[in-house]
Amino acid sequence: MKQKKWLWQLPLLALLIIGTVLIIRQQQSMPYQHDEGFIFGTVYSVTYQSEQNLKTEIEAALMQVDAEFSMFNEQSTVARMNRGEQVNQSKMFKEVFQLAQTVHKETDGAFDITVAPLVNAWGFGFKHEQMPTPTQVDSLLKIRNQYDFAAIAKGYGSDVVARLLRSHDVSNFMVEIGGEIVTQGISERRLPWKVGVTKPTDDSLSVSGELQTILNVTDIAMATSGNYRNFYYKGGKKYAHTIDPKTGYPVQHSLLSATVLANNCAVADAYATSFMVMGIERAQQLLERHQELMAYFIYAKPDGTNGVWFSPSLKKKIED
């Protein structure tokens, strides 16, 4: 009796095996699309496995983000708010603004979307003025009605594209906007996505591309912030573009580069910027409270060489 029941199940088992094989073959033969373009003053790149090219929808989604947060778009919500215009805040704007406020609180003010006037005053924004005097810095510290979402918008844009791809049942993809990345599934090589962390060097022209390490990342978001490309020298002193919102001055500590991995890219983006303000010791203390985050830090040692520190949970993702 048991043998007859087992024989009756054989056709179903055969159909299941055949169906599985067909699905695998279909997935293996499905092409990967490669789309790229320009947004938020930087380059975006999207690689995804799909029979359908989604570039039109991807760019439409990115333009929605641009319309809310771009400092390069004079008609964006943030640009209009900074001019003192009355603006109805969208659900998207409120979502990102709330996240910015949350990270601001968690980092004790290290993340601050109102720091733009100080960034401009030090010559790193849209205006390239002379170095501010202490009196000017004190005055600018009191200005808190000018918003700049540059330290979170690219990450959020990557999240928006990732959501779009998932809504089209795309399982394998990598989205990158200016180095802010979201990955899922596997690459064209049938391997986890691999992302390089650039070795920090005084490279303001972005000519050097030497890698410090390569991370195996999938089903996660990643963002990197650093002072090694946006800086200038004046009077024999190096001024980095990361401004401490509390002091109003460029940060002066050993941390050169902060890479953060998180469940979404807006969070990774915001914390990477925050850690560059906080420095390695304060950043490590925050990471102890936020086990959902992983970080890879490159810092300058007293002897002039570079050192590396990373979250213990990140070790398995580092390619030897």
Side-chain angles (χ1 to χ4, degrees):
M1 186 69 181
K2 287 183 178 180
Q3 186 177 10
K4 288 184 178 180
K5 184 177 181 181
W6 182 78
L7 290 172
W8 178 78
Q9 290 177 337
L10 276 177
L12 292 177
L13 182 60
L15 286 173
L16 180 61
I17 293 172
I18 292 170
T20 302
V21 170
L22 289 174
I23 290 172
I24 292 173
R25 283 185 177 177
Q26 182 183 23
Q27 288 178 339
Q28 289 179 339
S29 63
M30 187 182 297
Y32 274 74
Q33 309 286 338
H34 302 272
D35 296 332
E36 59 184 29
F38 198 73
I39 196 76
F40 312 146
T42 189
V43 175
Y44 80 83
S45 174
V46 187
T47 299
Y48 54 102
Q49 188 180 29
S50 173
E51 296 285 1
Q52 178 186 7
N53 184 273
L54 301 170
K55 184 173 184 177
T56 300
E57 292 184 44
I58 288 170
E59 294 202 334
L62 288 174
M63 291 309 297
Q64 288 182 333
V65 181
D66 182 272
E68 297 290 345
F69 306 110
S70 177
M71 300 295 287
F72 297 88
N73 180 353
E74 293 184 357
Q75 296 306 312
S76 69
T77 298
V78 65
R80 293 173 61 197
M81 288 178 65
N82 287 346
R83 292 197 297 266
E85 297 180 22
Q86 292 294 321
V87 180
N88 291 326
Q89 296 180 5
S90 68
K91 181 179 178 182
M92 178 183 290
F93 188 93
K94 291 177 180 177
E95 178 186 358
V96 177
F97 187 86
Q98 182 57 55
L99 175 58
Q101 295 301 101
T102 298
V103 179
H104 176 83
K105 182 178 179 181
E106 291 295 319
T107 60
D108 191 27
F111 186 78
D112 194 327
I113 57 174
T114 67
V115 78
L118 283 160
V119 174
N120 288 333
W122 283 99
F124 294 108
F126 289 93
K127 302 175 183 177
H128 295 276
E129 305 171 1
Q130 293 183 346
M131 290 175 58
T133 65
T135 301
Q136 289 172 326
V137 171
D138 290 341
S139 177
L140 289 170
L141 280 170
K142 298 173 184 176
I143 299 175
R144 287 292 187 257
N145 62 350
Q146 296 287 300
Y147 299 117
D148 184 351
F149 290 85
I152 196 171
K154 294 194 298 292
Y156 183 76
S158 294
D159 288 330
V160 167
V161 174
R163 291 178 201 168
L164 171 67
L165 295 174
R166 292 183 186 114
S167 74
H168 285 273
D169 296 323
V170 176
S171 301
N172 302 312
F173 62 78
M174 182 171 78
V175 181
E176 177 185 4
I177 302 178
E180 321 306 7
I181 296 167
V182 182
T183 67
Q184 182 174 300
I186 57 175
S187 69
E188 288 177 277
R189 298 174 61 192
R190 306 293 160 186
L191 296 170
W193 295 99
K194 299 177 187 292
V195 180
V197 177
T198 304
K199 182 175 291 187
T201 57
D202 282 3
D203 180 25
S204 60
L205 297 178
S206 302
V207 175
S208 173
E210 187 177 357
L211 297 181
Q212 180 75 41
T213 192
I214 296 175
L215 301 179
N216 289 313
V217 293
T218 192
D219 301 327
I220 203 164
M222 170 179 158
T224 299
S225 183
N227 282 327
Y228 53 94
R229 284 185 174 166
N230 198 354
F231 62 89
Y232 63 82
Y233 286 93
K234 190 162 186 175
K237 187 175 182 180
K238 180 180 177 180
Y239 292 89
H241 82 287
T242 301
I243 306 299
D244 188 329
K246 288 191 173 181
T247 67
Y249 287 82
V251 297
Q252 297 289 325
H253 55 59
S254 64
L255 188 56
L256 301 173
S257 169
T259 296
V260 176
L261 280 72
N263 290 329
N264 67 72
C265 203
V267 168
D269 200 0
Y271 275 106
T273 299
S274 304
F275 292 158
M276 289 306 303
V277 172
M278 298 167 72
I280 191 166
E281 292 182 0
R282 289 176 59 201
Q284 288 170 333
Q285 293 170 4
L286 185 145
L287 286 165
E288 289 179 3
R289 303 195 308 269
H290 287 274
Q291 296 294 314
E292 76 279 10
L293 302 176
M294 292 182 284
Y296 186 98
F297 297 147
I298 306 173
Y299 62 94
K301 297 196 293 188
D303 64 2
T305 61
N306 289 349
V308 168
W309 179 93
F310 52 84
S311 302
S313 56
L314 190 60
K315 185 174 183 178
K316 60 182 180 292
K317 294 182 178 295
I318 298 175
E319 188 168 282
D320 296 328

